[in-house]
Amino acid sequence: MRKTALSLSRLWFAGTLLLAALSVSAGGRPAEAGRGNDELVLVEREIACNTDPAFYPGSNHYVKNGAAELLFKVDPQGVVQPSLAEGIEQADPHTWRIRLRPEGRFWSGKSINAESVVASLERSRRTNVRAAPFLEGLSFKPLDSWTVEVTTRRENLSVPLSLSYMELCIINADAPHTSVETMDMSGMYRVVSFEPKKRMVLERSPNYYGEKPIIGRIVHEEISDAETRVLAILSGRADIVMHIPPEHMAQFDGRKDVVLHTTPPASTETVYLNLSRPQLRDVRVRQALSWGLNRGELVLLGAEGRSFPVTTWLGSNPRYRDSGGGIYDRYDPERAGALLDEAGWKLEKDGLRRKDGAVLSMRLMTWGPGKAVGEAIQHQWTKLGVAAEVRHGDYSLIQTARETGDWDALIEGWQTFGDEFALLSGQFAPKGTANYGGYDDAETNALLEELSNAGTEAARRELAMKVDARVAERAPCIFLYPRPEGVATRADLKGYVDHFRKFENAINAQLHFE
């Protein structure tokens, strides 16, 4: 039986939600919720911890709740569309010109002109490490009040796609983003109160330049426990709940008062390996750990069968589902064992592998919804003779372990949709911000250099697939499946648009209750 550790306050809260769930009538919110149709409650696993969007997890949450905007956004079909920008044109292989909306205003009423856009992007470059890969090789300058010129080091880089990344929201860089009173963004909703990592309240911005939202007030709440999040939507206390893990999706079967949205995201569940650890410096050991995983079983145990196996990082991207054919294309424990034997890790009578007296061990760190798949990996690696253990906890523990270098393996999922060079270099270039394990491979680096200079979409795709295959073969990471997560909405809430980029597409102006 699965056990969930809840604090007393969480238990009390869960109990009140359960009582509400039992009393709610199908199709509507319970009367005790005390809310009219002008307030929407958005709940997810975590919310921003700081009023400054440069602090993780920040920018994507402000985009998600309608407080912040990007110059461009990706629609549900994967097409980049103007948002704060009015349009864009390419002048030559290295130059693009963005046209801004003259009517654009920050919450304060300050005009969103070319100078303020450039200042915001440069602030992101300086202060937001997660924005860095998408600004690499880009320079910006105002041509006039409403035109920003973008110069790219790479030829034919898709600037609209790069600037649609969630960490590049446009804010007033001259404002001190240190409090609710001084933060200054551009979205349809303005933050009016904020308890970090707990609750944020937003109301319509009177200076919003675009389509005014129908609903006047957004309450954005953090509930870290998955079961409590599910109870929040089933009780009617919440109207949109993000991060419904696979093991809870069956609770929505047959419900008429709740809609579950399950469009697969472009995000690969990945086991990152620390290549500075002695046992992981040998590529044969890393390859053995990958061959020794039954990905079909991991999908069943870790994703409740609601995903599909992938063997490369880009495998979750709809454009690259055919990437990596023939690499770890089956579960092969015999091949894994042979590789470990070849690397000198011999299986002994106690079922463990040793080399020079040392046991082959792996500590796998998981967080959030990763516990189940972590335990399944532990079981499969143990059958190879690896002394595997799982350490499950808060994401901050993983961050600390990465900073100190005290880790063997960890599970995390990054989005795989976007500019191929920016994404792949961020993951696998020697100085990539998500290259947690310190992967540095001459052939991969050369392919990335070619990719950075590719002039056509066809050339970019071919080189991206070569990088993807090379990385999978060298196994600095092990790729499992597209990370499945559902979004639940109240049936009486209309206008929600399901999207493969769920992390930045929740609130829109057309949302309303019937």
Side-chain angles (χ1 to χ4, degrees):
M1 178 179 295
R2 189 167 56 87
K3 296 174 67 178
T4 302
L6 290 174
S7 65
L8 291 177
S9 60
R10 286 286 194 222
L11 286 169
W12 174 84
F13 184 43
T16 59
L17 290 180
L18 180 58
L19 289 174
L22 293 173
S23 64
V24 66
S25 59
R29 289 180 286 179
E32 60 265 37
R35 295 185 286 118
N37 287 341
D38 204 38
E39 178 181 285
L40 182 149
V41 176
L42 167 65
V43 168
E44 58 179 316
R45 183 174 56 228
E46 60 179 356
I47 67 169
C49 64
N50 195 297
T51 50
D52 191 329
F55 284 80
Y56 179 84
S59 189
N60 82 86
H61 295 276
Y62 288 115
V63 173
K64 184 184 301 176
N65 63 28
E69 295 180 298
L70 305 160
L71 288 169
F72 302 92
K73 289 201 75 174
V74 178
D75 68 19
Q77 289 71 47
V79 179
V80 181
Q81 303 286 0
S83 181
L84 259 178
E86 186 175 67
I88 189 170
E89 61 182 14
Q90 185 174 13
D92 61 51
H94 291 279
T95 308
W96 296 71
R97 296 192 179 105
I98 301 171
R99 301 186 308 279
L100 301 175
R101 302 176 187 273
E103 68 272 23
R105 294 287 184 275
F106 292 112
W107 296 338
S108 63
K110 178 183 176 180
S111 177
I112 305 175
N113 57 24
E115 184 177 342
S116 61
V117 166
V118 172
S120 177
L121 292 170
E122 293 300 339
R123 182 185 191 274
S124 294
R125 194 197 304 272
R126 293 192 309 272
T127 62
N128 189 345
V129 66
R130 296 170 72 89
F134 299 89
L135 294 174
E136 179 69 24
L138 300 185
S139 60
F140 307 94
K141 72 175 181 180
L143 289 186
D144 56 44
S145 295
W146 313 114
T147 308
V148 175
E149 183 174 88
V150 186
T151 303
T152 68
R153 187 163 59 230
R154 293 166 49 201
E155 288 190 0
N156 299 307
L157 170 71
S158 177
V159 168
L161 183 59
S162 293
L163 298 183
S164 73
Y165 185 60
M166 62 183 180
E167 296 295 337
L168 299 179
C169 65
I170 302 300
I171 65 172
N172 181 359
D174 292 331
H177 287 257
T178 54
S179 70
V180 167
E181 291 73 27
T182 60
M183 62 192 299
D184 198 13
M185 302 185 188
S186 71
M188 67 184 90
Y189 291 103
R190 180 172 186 167
V191 180
V192 296
S193 69
F194 181 31
E195 299 174 74
K197 299 289 288 176
K198 291 182 180 179
R199 187 172 190 264
M200 187 185 305
V201 179
L202 306 96
E203 295 179 352
R204 286 192 198 96
S205 170
N207 290 319
Y208 187 58
Y209 67 95
E211 181 183 4
K212 302 297 188 292
I214 297 171
I215 294 173
R217 178 182 171 94
I218 304 294
V219 179
H220 194 184
E221 294 186 348
E222 175 173 313
I223 300 179
S224 59
D225 179 68
E227 291 184 5
T228 311
R229 285 199 303 277
V230 170
L231 287 173
I233 190 71
L234 294 181
S235 70
R237 185 192 176 285
D239 304 302
I240 302 177
V241 171
M242 317 289 288
H243 311 295
I244 303 294
E247 62 267 26
H248 291 285
M249 291 181 182
Q251 297 183 55
F252 297 92
D253 294 345
R255 298 283 304 214
K256 296 183 179 180
D257 56 332
V258 179
V259 179
L260 182 65
H261 309 269
T262 58
T263 295
S267 174
T268 300
E269 194 81 332
T270 300
V271 180
Y272 290 84
L273 302 176
N274 185 353
L275 274 58
S276 69
R277 307 302 263 187
Q279 72 273 33
L280 294 172
R281 290 174 186 155
D282 191 326
V283 66
R284 294 168 295 185
V285 173
R286 305 195 302 266
Q287 290 170 336
L289 293 174
S290 190
W291 282 113
L293 289 184
N294 184 337
R295 289 171 174 79
E297 184 177 89
L298 295 180
V299 168
L300 290 173
L301 297 176
E304 299 289 319
R306 297 179 185 263
S307 189
F308 51 89
V310 298
T311 59
T312 69
W313 189 70
L314 284 177
S316 65
N317 184 324
R319 295 186 65 242
Y320 289 93
R321 289 281 160 78
D322 55 344
S323 181
I327 301 175
Y328 311 114
D329 56 352
R330 63 190 181 279
Y331 171 48
D332 197 337
E334 290 78 17
R335 185 168 184 174
L339 283 165
L340 291 174
D341 287 339
E342 183 182 326
W345 294 96
K346 302 300 183 180
L347 188 64
E348 298 188 355
K349 291 181 179 179
D350 62 358
L352 295 176
R353 290 184 178 270
R354 289 179 174 83
K355 179 179 180 180
D356 299 328
V359 173
L360 180 57
S361 63
M362 289 292 295
R363 291 175 301 157
L364 176 61
M365 301 186 72
T366 64
W367 68 288
K371 185 179 181 182
V373 70
E375 291 175 346
I377 291 171
Q378 177 189 26
H379 176 69
Q380 293 181 10
W381 280 350
T382 298
K383 291 194 294 184
L384 292 177
V386 179
E389 64 171 303
V390 174
R391 295 186 180 181
H392 185 77
D394 187 78
Y395 186 75
S396 62
L397 300 176
I398 289 180
Q399 289 178 305
T400 300
R402 286 204 306 258
E403 291 168 1
T404 62
D406 186 20
W407 62 284
D408 297 333
L410 59 88
I411 295 181
E412 191 168 325
W414 281 67
Q415 66 154 328
T416 60
F417 178 87
D419 175 73
E420 291 89 346
F421 173 75
L423 291 168
L424 289 166
S425 61
Q427 293 283 322
F428 308 117
K431 295 183 179 180
T433 55
N435 184 0
Y436 302 133
Y439 178 63
D440 188 354
D441 172 66
E443 183 173 331
T444 303
N445 298 341
L447 287 169
L448 285 171
E449 180 66 23
E450 287 188 64
L451 178 58
S452 73
N453 296 312
T456 67
E457 183 175 346
R460 285 193 292 271
R461 174 177 165 79
E462 180 182 356
L463 285 164
M465 291 185 69
K466 287 182 177 180
V467 172
D468 206 33
R470 173 64 178 178
V471 168
E473 188 271 325
R474 299 300 292 174
C477 309
I478 300 173
F479 312 107
L480 307 178
Y481 50 77
R483 173 187 289 183
E485 276 192 345
V487 177
T489 62
R490 297 293 306 167
D492 57 343
L493 176 67
K494 306 302 180 183
Y496 178 80
V497 179
D498 200 8
H499 201 292
F500 66 93
R501 294 178 98 172
K502 292 177 172 60
F503 50 79
E504 61 184 66
N505 289 276
I507 301 300
N508 68 72
Q510 289 298 310
L511 287 171
H512 65 281
F513 293 101
E514 287 188 348

